[in-house]
Amino acid sequence: MQEIADLLVERGLLTPTEILPELRAVTLRGATLHKEPLTPGTFKKMDVRVFHGRYFVSRDEGRYARKAG
């Protein structure tokens, strides 16, 4: 999640499809070995954080931004 947060600060609003190619190979491999491969559909953990007002906010057209503060 920290890598995604840093990416959003650097690049602005992004969709999961835009975020995935920017993640490090070690991050993608780790997710696959730990639980499941990262796909646009597996970004539900970000939605949980949005719902609870933590770290990320959801914007139009399925884009995410880093929450201010």
Side-chain angles (χ1 to χ4, degrees):
M1 288 295 158
Q2 183 62 48
E3 187 175 347
I4 294 171
D6 293 343
L7 182 63
L8 292 173
V9 168
E10 180 183 317
R11 301 256 327 267
L13 297 172
L14 296 172
T15 65
T17 304
E18 295 167 326
I19 293 169
L20 282 173
E22 301 297 324
L23 297 177
R24 296 176 302 154
V26 69
T27 301
L28 297 171
R29 185 170 188 275
T32 299
L33 292 174
H34 177 68
K35 203 163 198 173
E36 63 183 313
L38 285 176
T39 66
T42 59
F43 275 71
K44 47 190 173 271
K45 285 187 178 182
M46 284 183 69
D47 291 332
V48 171
R49 286 170 171 81
V50 168
F51 178 78
H52 291 287
R54 300 184 68 195
Y55 309 113
F56 305 104
V57 292
S58 183
R59 298 290 186 222
D60 59 337
E61 300 178 18
R63 295 181 183 276
Y64 293 97
R66 177 75 167 100
K67 186 176 180 182

